[in-house]
Amino acid sequence: MYFVNAPFFLRWLYPKVTFNRTRKEKKVYLTFDDGPIPEITPFILDTLEKYQIKATFFCVGENIEKNRTIFDRIVAQGHRIGNHTYNHLRGWDHDDDVYLENIEKCQQLTKSDLFRPPYARAKKSQLAKLAQEYEIIYWDVLSGDFDQTISPQKCFQNVERHCKNGSIIVFHDNIKAIDRLSYALPKTITFLHENGYTFATL
Ligand SMILES: [Zn+2]
């Protein structure tokens, strides 16, 4: 199960984690997790280019190595990169040294000061160590694009209903998300533009 909003208990458990930016400005932050992959990342880049928007990509190290050209295009287009581990590891399943080593391996490629834990699952001890080196980014709006039981329309509504000033919105460049993302991303951008929001990188 997952929550569209970051639940209160999570905010309490991980005080050092970023869930949103300032609520005082009408800015939002699109983020894309798990890529780059040829099946969907180029579509995302084309869409962002068309609307002249910058976003943040939390990349998986092994996908960067497999898809170097796409990764280079993300960087060349002026988007920001974040570290999402080398093998998309779930922190809860690994000892701290194994988990941190995997993040360091990804860091050789991402060279970023942003980190997002895959599945939002990392131990408190891991987050404490990572917080010394990275800003740890969660979100306050989860589109649910990875959820194959929801419609593309519902995915868009998740964003439409929950987005506000300073929101960090999660989409995925992941095969499971393609049907929902390809519908919801352009709709989201149009909706937020019409409502006076601007887009920024983290
Ligand atoms: Zn992920």
Side-chain angles (χ1 to χ4, degrees):
M1 98 167 262
Y2 61 91
F3 298 87
V4 172
N5 283 110
F8 178 75
F9 77 85
L10 201 62
R11 290 176 184 261
W12 170 80
L13 188 62
Y14 303 128
K16 283 187 172 172
V17 167
T18 300
F19 292 94
N20 56 270
R21 289 277 190 246
T22 175
R23 299 290 190 199
K24 291 180 186 151
E25 289 175 46
K26 225 169 155 60
K27 269 189 196 171
V28 291
Y29 303 83
L30 292 179
T31 66
F32 298 92
D33 289 6
D34 300 353
I37 56 165
E39 292 84 352
I40 189 68
T41 311
F43 167 82
I44 296 171
L45 290 169
D46 290 346
T47 306
L48 298 175
E49 199 167 33
K50 178 175 161 197
Y51 293 98
Q52 302 199 331
I53 287 170
K54 303 295 181 210
T56 305
F57 288 76
F58 287 91
C59 296
V60 170
E62 62 179 338
N63 285 338
I64 297 174
E65 288 203 314
K66 280 187 224 153
N67 303 296
R68 201 70 214 210
T69 318
I70 305 173
F71 179 75
D72 291 344
R73 188 180 160 203
I74 300 174
V75 176
Q77 257 181 247
H79 303 297
R80 192 152 181 216
I81 302 293
N83 184 326
H84 198 49
T85 78
Y86 189 84
N87 296 109
H88 206 256
L89 297 189
R90 191 190 304 260
W92 285 2
D93 299 341
H94 298 277
D95 289 339
D96 291 5
D97 54 346
V98 172
Y99 189 60
L100 296 171
E101 215 171 273
N102 199 269
I103 292 161
E104 182 51 37
K105 192 174 173 191
C106 182
Q107 183 65 352
Q108 302 301 318
L109 302 161
T110 48
K111 299 177 173 52
S112 173
D113 55 2
L114 301 177
F115 174 73
R116 174 176 279 162
Y119 312 100
R121 300 286 189 266
K123 295 174 190 164
K124 210 167 177 177
S125 58
Q126 294 164 346
L127 291 175
K129 283 180 194 151
L130 289 164
Q132 296 169 12
E133 212 180 316
Y134 299 92
E135 182 180 5
I136 300 167
I137 306 284
Y138 276 58
W139 58 82
D140 65 340
V141 180
L142 196 57
S143 66
D145 58 351
F146 56 85
D147 180 352
Q148 290 169 304
T149 68
I150 70 166
S151 67
Q153 289 77 8
K154 170 73 181 149
C155 174
F156 167 63
Q157 283 164 9
N158 283 339
V159 180
E160 186 188 26
R161 287 188 186 152
H162 296 280
C163 192
K164 51 191 169 190
N165 287 4
S167 279
I168 298 174
I169 305 165
V170 184
F171 286 104
H172 290 80
D173 32 354
N174 180 314
I175 296 207
K176 278 190 284 185
I178 290 176
D179 289 351
R180 279 154 297 282
L181 176 124
S182 48
Y183 171 84
L185 180 61
K187 290 271 288 183
T188 293
I189 294 171
T190 307
F191 167 76
L192 291 170
H193 266 158
E194 282 171 1
N195 285 276
Y197 289 95
T198 57
F199 295 83
T201 60
L202 287 166

